[in-house]
Amino acid sequence: MARPLPGAPAAQALLAEAARRAGRLAAPPGLALVRVGDDPASVAYVRGKARKAAEVGLRSAVHALPEAAPQAELLALLGTLNADPAVHGILVQLPLPPHLDPEPVLGAILPEKDVDGLHPVNIGRLWAGQPGLRPCTPAGVMALLAFYGLPVAGQRAVIVGRSALVGRPLAALLLNANATVTVAHSRTPDLGAVTREAELLIVAAGRAHLITPDMVRPGATVIDVGINRVADAPGQGRLTGDVHPDVAAVAGALTPVPGGVGPMTVAQLLMNTVLAAEAPAGQEGRGGRFR
Ligand SMILES: Nc1nc(=O)c2c([nH]1)NC[C@@H]1CN(c3ccc(C(=O)N[C@@H](CCC(=O)O)C(=O)O)cc3)C=[N+]21
């Protein structure tokens, strides 16, 4: 049976480090959480982030705009938050309602306050191997691997999924950490032939139980980033990953869903906020304060 890789102890360690470093600053790091509309999952995630922020000594504020808010209203809010010296980090919860275009919205956040690491400047820094704020879920995956002492350098890593939020930035982080990286996706022919090559298999495809035991190299480390809500009881949504539970019989190590990567995402967001608060304004590219 695969070694389980629960997120809770790794997230606890990251949160403790964030709390310790937040406590050494002259003022508490400030995090602005921006949400548009009432998607129940987004409401729940933002509430969870605010609760954890308070636990580690961060000041957070939730800015909830109505579903029909025009783009100009959202951009005006971001302008106010950019100019507020007590706000060190800004997160716009995705997905936005369909009438809003995420690209100009993410681009309107100051790169040094972009704790989601999704501003084009931070994407460019990541791919260039330069310091910058890194996207929370991929950085959380790297922190989870480090916590459990799992090797990355020299490993043959396969990522399934090429999203802007997870697959793409994770490819850059693994490459920067000296893994040999393949990015597969929904249009990869014979996906199993590719995933079977992986010593480190990271799945962020958004399809429940896409990865079955026959697609996994025996002994591989498997990280399941998928969060799928399946309705197998009336009126109830249970969470399950992109990796079939039977993979535990083949893999060497496996993250659970829920309780795996999810808690790491939140912990990394708060660590990013501390990093943003630590960096003197204007030094974000040179100081090496951001990893
Ligand atoms: N701008 C932006 N940045 C994000 O980082 C971002 C986002 N938008 N939109 C949505 C996704 C999703 N996301 C998760 C955060 C925590 C859990 C988490 O804590 N999950 C728990 C279970 C939560 C539950 O029970 O629903 C777990 O896996 O154990 C999951 C998913 C951040 N995202």
Side-chain angles (χ1 to χ4, degrees), residues 199-216:
E199 298 165 303
L200 176 55
L201 177 61
I202 307 186
V203 191
R207 281 189 34 206
H209 299 180
L210 171 68
I211 303 299
T212 45
D214 57 298
M215 300 168 76
V216 176

Side-chain angles (χ1 to χ4, degrees), residues 45 49 91-94 116 165 227 229 239 258-259 262-263 265-266:
Y45 287 142
K49 289 167 180 175
L91 176 134
V92 177
Q93 184 70 21
L94 301 174
D116 241 350
L165 213 58
I227 298 191
R229 228 163 265 281
L239 293 185
T265 298
V266 179

Side-chain angles (χ1 to χ4, degrees), residues 19-87:
R20 188 183 65 76
R21 287 167 65 162
R24 289 168 31 159
L25 294 165
L31 173 63
L33 297 161
V34 179
R35 172 166 78 60
V36 185
D38 296 303
D39 171 59
S42 291
V43 172
Y45 287 142
V46 168
R47 194 180 296 134
K49 289 167 180 175
R51 185 168 42 78
K52 276 275 180 277
E55 278 176 31
V56 298
L58 271 57
R59 284 182 47 255
S60 77
V62 176
H63 301 267
L65 299 186
E67 177 82 24
Q71 182 126 325
E73 186 180 343
L74 180 53
L75 294 177
L77 171 62
L78 294 177
T80 304
L81 296 171
N82 279 340
D84 184 343
V87 172

